[in-house]
Structure formats: structure tokens, C-alpha cells
């Protein structure tokens, strides 16, 4: 960590500051310039609170050299982590497709989609039972009953299941869910992350709408700091000024995260664009970018239902997407 | 609500759609153009799920005419709401200053700041007991003990207290807190909002870092839909590309919110800039912009403590700010 | 176009407004609701100034149904445009790679890179002679001499050349440049666009750092309105809150632009991330997303020169990228 | 400037790099940590190209300590600059209001508004003759004739005039314009800035829609580097995700710019919100924030004309705004 002092700082202030750093077990290295004094801090700076430091009136700026996340950091864990979701491995060369309906609606819908996506090559079944909606008047999901329907579909198809949690108090309901998802709006719900860190179950952590990759990794660190290191990261589109697509899929996040962390990275092209006709191309692009998996929304009859999101593809479209993605993966690894 | 159909939609598709709208109790008005058909929907459209509608393959775009929030909407509630916080009124011409430390640290710190800000004109005492921190390794607050210290300061100074909640399960701990704050990162923690809607206690709802005013109002609507209409909105800076200040204070949010809603609007100039030397000017500007109140962080000894945020002012600086703000208010209302 | 009137507008105001619309040759269709009156305008609304309309005190909001760009609009020109750059075709199934140095530095550098990228499969040579730099103290390019060096490389390799223009007064210097590039910072330099619209030469128009796709298309329309319809669009990354990469490559722009316009779309993965080690993956992803071409920076000796951008790859890396991209294209079109 | 080297850099690479720095006249100070080597550079680093340095494969990151702008930097010029616009002083305690129509339309309109705003206390007359419009089909201004009408209004009222330039070739037409404005979209039109740096006439430089304050200062530096140090900066709203207002006025830019630079800072509340009914409050807030002046659009008869922007106020509204602003200034300076 480097701290730049303002011009005019007295020797006494400088000494006090250095003593404080040394009291935290850090070594201090000082360079004096004409306009600035630069203090280099060597040692374990992950516990130094950068915002507090920046707040001191004698400090001009502070720069971290070491990242404040340790368990998620690839520097200290060179091999890629392979997360095992009830027998399905993700990461380190294991590519998986998670597919299923946006919301679980009925036994028939859930089972029909599960059967169909398994036939097309999906290896994990997703389905929403608790839905974060911006309006209190919109459908909020079937809750416990939705999870029940997912478990039945799992019993019949053998696909491990993935569903989103919104509330610490629901953790018990998720005991048969194989991969618990934290949605974008809860990426910085630190109390929820901390509780999930106490579980022995994989967590799929989605990037927030306006969050940086480092913030995503700090949120993963919250989970890992509690002892649960089975975290899968998910890029699902960020908010930009573009309004033609609902969000903007940031595919450079894939190589960037692979450089910063050892955790697997999956891409959700359905939420990112919010437009089902773009899912095929963006799924192919994500595979070409090196993602460890995809998460795709599939609906059995979008037109008839009159209540399915713009972002869901039909089982037939999903089958074609899965084939295209396999071809891209073969070409990329050729 | 207006729905624009794509070119080439068949009469049958159009009829199905119109029947569906009519089954929801809406009147339908159709205009046919050369390239598009426009459907105007008249009636209570707040229950129409706009994302679901946009998902239909026959729809080109949808535009709401009526806002999806009703209880927060000024159109249906012309007079400004005055929220009563244990006797201190905010809104509708009642301007209040909330002040206090970022984090509650000790009895002495808390009481000393409370006494001092009351003398300068603050009418509510703020203090953090549960702190949302991006790193799991940073100080997270004194929790129940912090709330206890605030209650003691309240007992001695008479100032009603304001503190941030992060977790549904902590609601019981907040029974003596007079105004419960929801932080920016929890603005869309819908389960938390829903629970707060069941209380009979004022809520201070902060705008999320990358959220629009309409999203803020939808979150207020979550609280109000549960029956708790005592909501105060807080502008505290949004994320922009500017990095010199931590966030960008959006003061046009003040007149904009006053137009869109009847709820009071307070401004937090401390978090917005993250720089204590800008707090005075931004507090003055917020008062000039028509805010119903301010929320300002005050620390008793920023230098010595070596652990206070860049955003806190000293009691002496706060006293000067409070005086300046009163002069601006007098000038603005002259 | 739809205009929503405010509540309380008088019949006379409504009549005046409708008369004004009709005087512009538009048909008017009125729906009256309880809270709003909606006016649908049918006819050629591309000349209605939407900002001016929104300015009227009786108007609540305005929504365009037809896009304000006509020549660039795919609705009126269904087949993809194939732009011919001195014999090299781009678009409509013709995929091309543009490669070359960020800045032209010397005869030897320029020719060596040109020879090498041609051998790897590049079909157009790029090189900067006029460089937009944020600091007046940074290297600004070799100007006329740089263009001269590009022309010599073209004479020896047969590759048509691409270079960026910054100034109307330089147009004459660009007479032997085969494809004139407009940089991101000049995307809304309307006077420059208008002059380029008078030429009979292809233009490569880059998307601005914070511009939407519709704004990009309006800028293309400026060029096309003058008679020059040979426009190639370029996605080169947009500004977001992510700082690990210099910009964020928006690959959903590729299918989105193919839907909105008939013009070809190329992707520049070098500028987008600003990190050479990400160029391979992002070039592959762009090909998978359906781009009509790529623009890649190549430098002959990044290390030795001590003055090459983080974003350039070596000729050997470029060769590998070109091979990977061809495999992805084959897989995508399989 | 500080450069952090990657782990595993060889001594030879390190020596080469240090020799290169020393060849630029810089002193080098090295700190070796377990994971990183930090190189501190002392001396005039304004000519070190930071992007080039970041591009080296041995570099992990680079941080500037000294800002790359010198002439605009308050560190080297402590007193505020007072710009003299044909006798009207701005900055250093001199507050001025620039007012006038968005576009100059006719002799009668221009003179009538000029007379009226002068009576209300405006000291400079603004008017657009060259209008940057996103659509080539929208009105682009009266050009030379518009400047002519402004000059006539100046002759009759004595108010110095302000108008926007879009094109190097128009400089001659602006010889009687007292303050030349560079619009937000041209903030990084570096060739235009360089030419304006050769004039002996004040320049009003507007901040770009998605630009940081440091980028604004680098653009000011382009003008100043040519010898023209009469630059006035203008905050006019930045692009954010908020859509209720057209842009978001960043008032913390006022104290921030006053800290970073000695140049005067004016605020344009009309363009920022795009909504005339917010201009009064935002003008008051800008004055309270410490701005050196305001720039306000005024139209003589918005309703009748049917072609005025939402952002213009009437002369009567302007008169009230000017009074309110004076009261706020008195209170702020009390």
C-alpha cells in the first residue's frame, strides 16, 4: 500500500503516522519529493481500512498494491477451483449449462422444461421460487411451493437444482437446493453473504448492476471468509447508458476474473440483454470468451402463457443454442 | 399504458392481446399506422407487468403513462406528507438537521457529539451500529451495544435517534430507534422493505448508488404497500464516472422528487462527496435546492482518532455549517 | 410518435396543438383517459423535433415510435449493406480483419507489420497518423508523414489503408486513404461528419465512449444524409464503472446493430480492454457474436520500444488470434 | 509517479527500466516487498506517457502523484484567475450571470431578450448561432446571420456576447464574439482546442457528458498550452442513469474544481436538467455551492413559439431567479 502525504505535513505528523503503521505490524519506506512525500507500506495491509486512511487531513491519496481479498485471490491460489455441485463439476476445464424457467409455475411446466433441457445437454436445472421484483404489485414467486416443484423435477430428471435466495430466514427451505444463487440486487447484502459463508453448499454469486469486478470479489470474500469456499461467480450484465438491451453483458469480465481469481465464472446471457433473440449469439460469445458455464432461461410456451419474460427461449431454441455452444467450445479449444 | 405492435402482427394475434387486456379490466383504444399499430390502455394499469408484456414477440415497445407507484405518487396525494419522528416533524416546510457520528464508538464519543450537535441546532441524532462494509475484514460496528449507547445519548439529550438496519432479524433491537434507516445497498432488499412496511415507525430510505428516482419510489412503495406510510427519502450521491468525489450528489433529485412524490426529501452531503471539506458548500446547496432536511456526519476528533472517515466534520465545523444553512434557508424563503 | 398531455389542458390548447401537428402533414388520433390525453401522430415524424415538443408546458411526455434515422434504418433497407473498400468487401457475410500499429512510427515499422499481418490473413492495414491524446504534452502522431508511410506500405503489400481523421481541414491529405476512421471522441463532431458525407469514400465510424446505439446511428445518418452511404460502424468499448479494463466491450451491440441497421459492424477488441492479453479471447467472442470484422492493433516489438500501448499484440500473437478467429467463424457458420 | 512491478521481474529488466526513467531526467527510488517492487519517480513526470508505461509487460500498475496538467493546476497558481470578458470580470469573487436564448432566431427576439435580461441583472448575453444537434434533420442555427444579430443586440445593450463554436474554420466569424463557448460534445475535439489556444480571447469550456473533472482540466490545458490562459470552466450536467432530468447537475464539481484549479467555474442549470421549472432551484443551489457565475437560457414566449426547449425560462421567471440568486449570494457570503 502506498500513501501520498500532502505538502506541508510536519515531521511530527509524519512520525505519528509511521508509528501507527508500525503498530499494525507494517514496515514503512519513505521517499521525499519536492511536492510530495510517498510512504510505502510493506506487510499484510488487508486489514488497513483504506477509507479511514483517506480521511486523514494529511493524506493526499492512498493506493492499494495488494488486493484486499485474499481467499478469492489467484495470486495465493494459482490453480483454478473446481466447484462440485452434487456431482456436477464447474471450472478448471469443466463447462456446464444451467437452464430452466425464470419462475417455477407448475409441476407440469417445471418437469417438462427440465426433461427437455436435460435432453439438449443442460446439466443443472434453474428455477425461481423467490423473485426480486421492483414493484410490490408484481408476481413474487411460489416460494416454498416453488422449491418443492424443483425438488420433484430433480427427483425425476436427476438434475441438481439452482434457485435464488433473498432472505436469511429462508436458508432452511434451501436445504435440498444444490446451488444457492445470490441475485444481483443482493450482491452487497453483507448479512446474507455472511450467513451463506457458514453453509457447506455451493453459492452462485451474481455481479451487481453497477458493481466492479473487485467489489464482486470482495463479496465472494465475505462468503469465503466464513469458511465456504465453493463460490461460482456470475456475470449477468451491468447497467450502462444503452437502453436497447436491458443491461450490457460485460464479456471482458471473463478473462479479467480468470486473471484475478481462481473461482469459476459463468455467464447469464438471458438477463443481460433481456431479449430472447440475442441469447444464442451472446451464449456463443460467452463460450468463445472462455466462460466456465452458462445460465439460460427457457420457457415451454412463451406466446401462449402471455406472461413470460422477453428473455426466455423455447426448448427448441435452447437445443440449437446448446449445439452452437458446443461447436464454439470445440473450436476454441482446438 | 401504450403498447406498440410490430409490423405484420395478424388480426388474430391482435384480438387475443386485446381480449387479454380487457380481461384485466382495461379499456383498449387502437390506432393503426402504416408501420405500426398503437394500443392505448386505459384504466388501472399498475398491475400490468411491463417486463412480461415487453417479452411478447408481437410487441415492439411499451410505455407507461401512469407511474406504477400509487401510494408514493403526488398525483393522488397533492399535499406534502409531514413525517413525525417522535415529535420532530420533517417535510411540508419543516426543515431538520440529523447529525452524529458515522459509527458509534463509545459512551463518551456518542454523548459528547450529541450534546454538541444539539447545541448547534441538530434535532435528530444519527449513529451507525451496524455498518455495511465492502470488506469482511473491516470494522462492522458495535451492533446491539451501539444501539444501547445511542439510547443513552437520547435519554440525556432528548434527541430522537436514527440508525441503519441491515437485517430483518434485527428489527426487535431497533424498537427504541426513532427513525430506522435503510442504506443505499439495501434499497432493493425487498424482503427487508416489506418487513419495515409492517412497522408503525418512520423509515429513512436512501437512494441506491446506481438507482433512478422511479426505482427509489418503487422501493418506498414496498414499505407503504404494507401500511407504513411514514417514509422519508434520502439523496446521498450516486455513482458516476467522476472519481475525485466518492459519489456525485444529485441535487436536481430534490425538486424532481418533490414533483413526483409527497414524501419528504433529505440530503446527505457527507456520504455523497466523501470529503469533509466539501460538506459545508453542499449542505448550503441542498438547502437552496429545497431539501426538507440534511443528514451530516460529525466526529469529535478526526485527527487523533486516526480512524474517522474523510467525510466527517468536527463539531466546530458543524456549528458553522448549521449557521450557514439557516442563512440560506432564510434567503431561499424570503 | 405519441404525445401525452398533462391533466388540465384546455380544449383550446389541445386544438392549437393538433392544428400545429396537422400543419406539418401529420394525422392525429386522440384517446382521452381519466388522467391523461394521448395523442398519436401518424405520418413522417422524422422532422418533428422531440426536444422542442417536450418543452411545451402542456406536454407530459413524448415517445417516438419511428426511429429518427431513415437511411441507416433496416426497416427501410432490409438487405445488409456490403461496403467495398478498394476491392475488399465488408458486411453481408464478408468478414475482414483490419490490423496494424496504433501509431505509424517509421518506414521499417510500418512495412514490417504490414507484411506480417497480411501473411496472417489481415486484409486491411490500419495505422494512426493523427492521434487524439488527452494531454497536449503527449505524442500526437506523425501527421502527413505518417499517412505517407502508410501509402508506401500499401504500395508494397497491396493492403488498402485505414487511418483516423480529426479535422475537416485534413480531408485533402486523406485522398489516398481507403477507409477514413472517425474516432470515438469525434462521433458527435457533426461538422466533421457532414463534410465526410460529401466524399465518395468509405467511413469507419466508432461509437463514442458514453453513447447509445441510437446516437451512433444518428451520427451515421449525418454522413449518409450528405449522400455517402458507405459507412461501417465500430464497437470499441464504452465507459462503465469497471476500471480493470480501460473500457467495456459491448458485444450485444453486434446483434442489436444488425437488427437496427443494414450497415456492417466491426469490433475493436484492442481499444476496448486496453490489455493485450485479453485481445485473443475478445476477438474470438466478437466473431462468435456475429461481427462483420475486427480491428486489431499489432506492434512489432512492444518490449524494446518502451513506447507501445498495453493494448497491442505482437505479430506472432496476431497470427494465433487470426487462426482462432477463423475456427470460431467456421464453427459459428456450421 | 509510482510504478509497481509484477512479481518475477528480473534484475536486468528492472535496471533497463530505471535507466530509461533516468534518461528522462527523473530520480528513481526503489522499495522491494515480498510480492511487489515499487518504483517512485521524482521530478517532472508530466511528459511520461502513462498509457505507454502501463503497456509494458513488467508493470502491474502506475499511479500519478502529480497531475499531468500544469497551467490549469492550482498547486502552481494559488490565486484564483479573474477572466475579463470585454470589461466584465468573472472569478475571484466576481459573480456574473450569462443569459439569453438557446438559439438566435430574429432581430426582434434577440434584442427583446437582451434588453430584458440586462434589466434583471444579466451582464453577458448568450445566444446560439451554430447548434450541435443529434439529428441532421433538426434546425442547426442561423450561423453567420445569427452572430450578426447578436452583435446588433450587443451594440444596443452594451452586453458582451457569448456563442458556441463548432468548427475551426469558423474562427474568423467569431472575431466580435467576446467569449467563445466550446460545447460538451467538443470538449475533446483537440484540434479545435489547440486553435483556440492561439487566440487572445476568453474561452468558455463546457464539461463533456461523461467526462471527469481531470479530463476537463486536460482540455483546458490544451487551450492554455497554446498561450491563451483566459479559460472559464462550465459544469452543465453529466450523463447518469437518471432519466427524469436530461442530465444530472454535478454541483460538487464546483468546490472540487476550485480546489484543483484557479480557473473560474460557472454552472448552466438550464441544460443540466432540461426542465425549465427546475432552473430556479438549481441556480440557487449553484450559487450556494460557490459558483463564479451562471448561464441561463431565456426565451421571450415559449408557448406561442411552439419551438422552444423545455429548458428555457421566460423573462419574468428569469427576473425572479436573478433576485433569488442575489439573496443566496448575500447569505452565503454573510
Amino acid at each position: 500500500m502506498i500513501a501520498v502525504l500532502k505538502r506541508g505535513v510536519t515531521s511530527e505528523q509524519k512520525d505519528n503516522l509511521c508509528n501507527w503503521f508500525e503498530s499494525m505490524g507494517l514496515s514503512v519506506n519513505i521517499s521525499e519529493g519536492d511536492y510530495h512525500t510517498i510512504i510505502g507500506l510493506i506487510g499484510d495491509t488487508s486489514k488497513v481500512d483504506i477509507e479511514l486512511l483517506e480521511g486523514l487531513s494529511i493524506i493526499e491519496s492512498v493506493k492499494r498494491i495488494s488486493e484486499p481479498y485474499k481467499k478469492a485471490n489467484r495470486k495465493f491460489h494459482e490453480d483454478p477451483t473446481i466447484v462440485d455441485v452434487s456431482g456436477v463439476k464447474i471450472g478448471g476445464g469443466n463447462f456446464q449449462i444451467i437452464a430452466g424457467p425464470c419462475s417455477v409455475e407448475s409441476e407440469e411446466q417445471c418437469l417438462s422444461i427440465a426433461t427437455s433441457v436435460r435432453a439438449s445437454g443442460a446439466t443443472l436445472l434453474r428455477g425461481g421460487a423467490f423473485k426480486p421484483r421492483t414493484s410490490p404489485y408484481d408476481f413474487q414467486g411460489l416460494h416454498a411451493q416453488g422449491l418443492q416443484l424443483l425438488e420433484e423435477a430433480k427427483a425425476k430428471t436427476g438434475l441438481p437444482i439452482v434457485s435464488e435466495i433473498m432472505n436469511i430466514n429462508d436458508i432452511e427451505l434451501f436445504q435440498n437446493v444444490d446451488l444457492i444463487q445470490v441475485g444481483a440486487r443482493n450482491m452487497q447484502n453483507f448479512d446474507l453473504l455472511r450467513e451463506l459463508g457458514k453453509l457447506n453448499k455451493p453459492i452462485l454469486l451474481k455481479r451487481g448492476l453497477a458493481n466492479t469486478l473487485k467489489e464482486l470479489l470482495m463479496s465472494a470474500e465475505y462468503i469465503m471468509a466464513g469458511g465456504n469456499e465453493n463460490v461460482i461467480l456470475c456475470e449477468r450484465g451491468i447497467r450502462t447508458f444503452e437502453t436497447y438491451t436491458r443491461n450490457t453483458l460485460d464479456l471482458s469480465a471473463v478473462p479479467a476474473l480468470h486473471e484475478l481469481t481462481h473461482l469459476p465464472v459463468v455467464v447469464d446471457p438471458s438477463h443481460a440483454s433481456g431479449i430472447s433473440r440475442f441469447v444464442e449469439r451472446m451464449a456463443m460469445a460467452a463460450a468463445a470468451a472462455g466462460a466456465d458455464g452458462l445460465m439460460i432461461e427457457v420457457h415451454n410456451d412463451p406466446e401462449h402463457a402471455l406472461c413470460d419474460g422477453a428473455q426466455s427461449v423455447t426448448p427448441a431454441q435452447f437445443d440449437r443454442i446448446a449445439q452452437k455452444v458446443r461447436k464454439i467450445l470445440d473450436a476454441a479449444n482446438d
Side-chain angles (χ1 to χ4, degrees), chain A:
Chain A
M1 185 176 279
I2 292 164
V4 182
L5 303 190
K6 291 210 176 124
R7 231 172 138 176
V9 168
T10 65
S11 303
E12 199 191 329
Q13 290 175 305
K14 217 178 298 183
D15 289 349
N16 283 343
L17 186 69
C18 291
N19 291 341
W20 182 58
F21 287 136
E22 284 164 359
S23 76
M24 291 189 277
L26 300 169
S27 308
V28 174
N29 182 315
I30 301 186
S31 324
E32 305 266 0
D34 282 349
Y35 288 102
H36 302 92
T37 299
I38 299 170
I39 297 185
L41 298 173
I42 293 165
D44 177 8
T45 58
S46 71
K47 288 181 185 65
V48 177
D49 191 329
I50 194 165
E51 287 188 11
L52 304 190
L53 194 55
E54 284 172 339
L56 299 178
S57 68
I58 59 174
I59 296 286
E60 171 136 343
S61 64
V62 183
K63 179 183 167 68
R64 273 198 189 283
I65 304 302
S66 304
E67 296 81 5
Y69 49 94
K70 306 210 98 147
K71 288 172 176 278
N73 198 330
R74 190 145 199 167
K75 280 193 186 140
F76 310 119
H77 187 308
E78 289 195 11
D79 292 329
T81 285
I82 297 170
V83 174
D84 185 317
V85 183
S86 306
V88 176
K89 292 180 164 52
I90 302 191
N94 301 284
F95 184 95
Q96 305 295 347
I97 304 183
I98 306 167
C102 176
S103 290
V104 174
E105 291 164 20
S106 69
E107 190 181 340
E108 190 267 331
Q109 173 237 29
C110 194
L111 182 59
S112 145
I113 295 177
T115 309
S116 146
V117 298
R118 188 184 57 174
S120 299
T123 48
L124 290 153
L125 175 66
R126 60 146 288 152
F130 294 86
K131 305 294 303 171
R133 303 304 305 270
T134 46
S135 168
Y137 309 120
D138 287 345
F139 176 58
Q140 313 268 329
L142 293 181
H143 297 182
Q145 189 200 341
L147 293 179
Q148 186 65 36
L149 294 174
L150 278 174
E151 289 177 35
E152 288 169 21
K154 172 185 173 181
K156 288 185 177 142
T157 61
L159 293 175
I161 55 178
V162 186
S163 200
E164 178 170 352
I165 196 167
M166 287 174 63
N167 189 326
I168 291 179
N169 296 332
D170 295 334
I171 285 180
E172 215 172 317
L173 290 173
F174 280 72
Q175 61 191 350
N176 294 319
V177 171
D178 302 278
L179 175 60
I180 299 182
Q181 174 180 323
V182 177
R185 285 183 185 78
N186 279 313
M187 192 198 92
Q188 294 192 320
N189 183 338
F190 301 122
D191 279 21
L192 177 61
L193 300 177
R194 198 181 289 111
E195 287 302 312
L196 297 175
K198 298 176 187 164
L199 303 184
N200 182 19
K201 192 188 272 295
I203 307 297
L204 180 81
L205 178 65
K206 289 194 153 188
R207 180 182 185 184
L209 271 84
N211 287 107
T212 64
L213 298 179
K214 296 204 170 170
E215 288 169 337
L216 174 62
L217 291 171
M218 287 312 295
S219 288
E221 191 81 6
Y222 256 94
I223 300 170
M224 298 172 87
N228 183 357
E229 304 204 357
N230 297 302
V231 179
I232 300 169
L233 304 172
C234 181
E235 160 61 31
R236 46 75 76 210
I238 52 175
R239 189 168 269 195
T240 68
F241 301 133
E242 184 54 55
T243 54
Y244 193 69
T245 44
R246 189 162 56 189
N247 296 293
T248 296
L249 189 63
D250 174 10
L251 285 180
S252 49
V254 176
L257 285 171
H258 279 160
E259 195 164 275
L260 293 167
T261 185
H262 50 89
L263 299 172
V265 180
V266 305
V267 170
D268 174 346
S270 302
H271 278 85
S273 65
I275 299 178
S276 66
R277 56 190 186 275
F278 292 177
V279 173
E280 179 177 314
R281 281 293 184 182
M282 298 321 287
M284 292 162 68
D292 297 299
L294 292 170
M295 181 149 177
I296 295 178
E297 285 192 8
V298 178
H299 196 289
N300 48 348
D301 190 356
E303 288 319 308
H304 180 258
L306 274 179
C307 66
D308 177 55
Q311 68 208 19
S312 293
V313 296
T314 61
Q317 289 166 332
F318 176 72
D319 188 66
R320 184 183 141 96
I321 291 170
Q323 287 178 44
K324 283 283 189 184
V325 164
R326 276 193 294 272
K327 283 182 185 163
I328 294 289
L329 286 173
D330 289 346
N333 299 327
D334 192 10

